[in-house]
Amino acid sequence: MDNILEKKISSQGWILADGATGTNLFNMGLQSGDAPEFWNLEFPEKIKKLYRDSIEAGSDLFLTNSFGGNSSRLALHNAANRASELSRISAELGIEVKREFDRDVIMAGSVGPTGELMDPLGPLTFERAVQIFVEQISGLKEGGVDLVWIETMSAEEEFRAAAEAAKIVDIPWIGTMSFDTSGRTMMGITSVNFVRMVESLSEQPIAFGANCGVGASDLLRTVLGFHKTGNILPIVAKGNAGIPRFVSGKIHYDGTPELMAKYAKMAFNCGAKIIGGCCGTTPDHIKAMRLSLEGCSHPVMPNLDDICANIGPFSSESDGTDGTKKRTRIRRVAR
């Protein structure tokens, strides 16, 4: 898998990942509070359409519908014993879709957080967290994923537990955290803290980065923080399509395809090699991002003013690395 990533990056300079899972499934009829992983069995054609739409829009890599497919989250739906099964099926559906295309597409098994607080803040021990992730990752591997994509993490110990599980299952992995609290994760980790944590792991990921958060501008600032550490692993940038707002009782992301095209190019310029979208990102956004990235060859590093001018203002004055946590109000700007 290292060679597949390296070959793709070497040939075109970047890898375009997919967009949102939840947003696109909600557009297909998923209801708030439902477990998306049940759709792997109940509506397999819709899950295959999710994957297919992403690839047809230009994605080189897509994530399986398994983000919340661990026993802890599934226990909320009385399905804790189905973690391995539902994750395996999410990958098997991806294999079917991959066979429809005559180009190499990478399938990454999505692994999200357990939703529990880890000891000493909560009841989840490190050993139990590893067991939970091993169960899910084993199902993804059995289903045929090319690698595991550990994402939207906020706590160091939970990230380490998922990484340990990937090591036990013996599968390549990519890891991302969500920096959504004044440049930090919810548990206080900065971009620099994250890089140093990754470097301390006994089993290194094949790429690392950031996803989700509070907007593309903040995510790009975090990516700059990764790049400045000098770590040579490929960096992932998977930002939301704009800022979430309530419209007619529903969450709507205000990022247009044109904005995400600018974001994709700027992510490349900030040093990211694997670029995609998170919440709010549809196939239309992915198409625009593909066209934008196809015009990229030699990155030109932007500064913070460049990011604000092209993507919009930051949600906080600092990225957290200077110890500052003061927030500023997000302003709506012309795109």
Side-chain angles (χ1 to χ4, degrees):
M1 179 51 55
D2 285 283
N3 291 334
I4 292 176
L5 289 180
E6 290 171 3
K7 181 179 178 181
K8 180 67 72 174
I9 292 172
S10 177
S11 64
Q12 65 184 22
W14 40 267
I15 291 173
L16 179 61
D18 62 0
T21 295
T23 297
N24 290 300
L25 291 184
F26 283 129
N27 290 340
M28 294 182 193
L30 181 71
Q31 297 299 303
S32 178
D34 290 349
E37 293 74 23
F38 287 169
W39 274 30
N40 296 331
L41 273 175
E42 296 171 357
F43 302 106
E45 291 305 316
K46 290 186 177 181
I47 300 305
K48 288 194 285 185
K49 175 175 169 51
L50 172 76
Y51 300 160
R52 187 182 299 114
D53 286 352
S54 173
I55 299 170
E56 289 179 342
S59 294
D60 303 302
L61 179 154
F62 70 94
L63 305 186
T64 57
N65 179 41
S66 54
F67 176 83
N70 60 69
S71 61
S72 179
R73 283 184 177 271
L74 289 173
L76 301 175
H77 304 276
N78 298 313
N81 62 334
R82 301 181 66 187
S84 180
E85 171 203 6
L86 292 172
S87 292
R88 171 180 54 79
I89 294 170
S90 75
E92 290 174 343
L93 295 174
I95 291 291
E96 291 183 38
V97 173
K98 283 182 65 173
R99 289 172 179 159
E100 299 173 9
F101 295 85
D102 59 2
R103 63 184 179 92
D104 290 331
V105 180
I106 300 167
M107 176 169 58
S110 174
V111 174
T114 61
E116 297 186 45
L117 289 175
M118 292 194 64
D119 181 62
L121 298 178
L124 183 62
T125 65
F126 182 83
E127 292 74 19
R128 176 57 184 152
V130 172
Q131 292 175 357
I132 289 171
F133 288 126
V134 164
E135 180 181 27
Q136 182 183 12
I137 292 172
S138 295
L140 290 167
K141 182 177 181 180
E142 183 182 352
V145 298
D146 298 305
L147 58 91
V148 167
W149 188 287
I150 297 165
E151 59 172 322
T152 325
M153 295 289 177
S154 63
E156 176 176 347
E157 286 305 298
E158 188 167 31
F159 187 91
R160 287 183 179 274
E164 180 66 19
K167 178 182 177 180
I168 291 170
V169 178
D170 190 25
I171 188 168
W173 64 283
I174 288 173
T176 67
M177 300 191 92
S178 180
F179 298 80
D180 55 7
T181 310
S182 299
R184 298 168 179 262
T185 72
M186 183 176 64
M187 303 306 291
I189 297 173
T190 68
S191 57
V192 175
N193 295 152
F194 183 40
V195 172
R196 300 310 174 213
M197 187 217 328
V198 166
E199 292 173 341
S200 73
L201 296 171
S202 60
E203 190 76 17
Q204 293 284 289
I206 56 177
F208 74 96
N211 78 295
C212 205
V214 292
S217 295
D218 281 36
L219 185 133
L220 292 175
R221 182 171 61 180
T222 297
V223 170
L224 276 180
F226 295 150
H227 183 75
K228 289 176 181 178
T229 66
N231 188 287
I232 63 173
L233 288 172
I235 296 172
V236 175
K238 213 167 188 284
N240 293 342
I243 304 296
R245 305 182 188 284
F246 280 102
V247 179
S248 301
K250 296 183 179 180
I251 295 178
H252 171 74
Y253 286 82
D254 65 0
T256 63
E258 292 75 20
L259 175 69
M260 292 302 282
K262 291 180 181 179
Y263 146 79
K265 182 176 182 178
M266 193 152 281
F268 176 77
N269 285 336
C270 286
K273 296 298 184 183
I274 304 173
I275 301 163
C278 203
C279 302
T281 309
T282 69
D284 286 341
H285 293 95
I286 295 296
K287 289 177 184 177
M289 292 164 67
R290 181 83 196 190
L291 289 174
S292 180
L293 285 171
E294 286 177 346
C296 295
S297 56
H298 302 290
V300 179
M301 192 67 61
N303 57 36
L304 298 182
D305 289 339
D306 295 329
I307 293 174
C308 284
N310 285 276
I311 309 300
F314 301 113
S315 67
S316 62
E317 296 174 353
S318 168
D319 67 353
T321 56
D322 60 1
T324 302
K325 294 186 180 181
K326 182 179 178 182
R327 295 181 65 85
T328 55
R329 181 171 172 269
I330 298 174
R331 302 188 307 277
R332 190 177 184 87
V333 297
R335 300 300 191 201

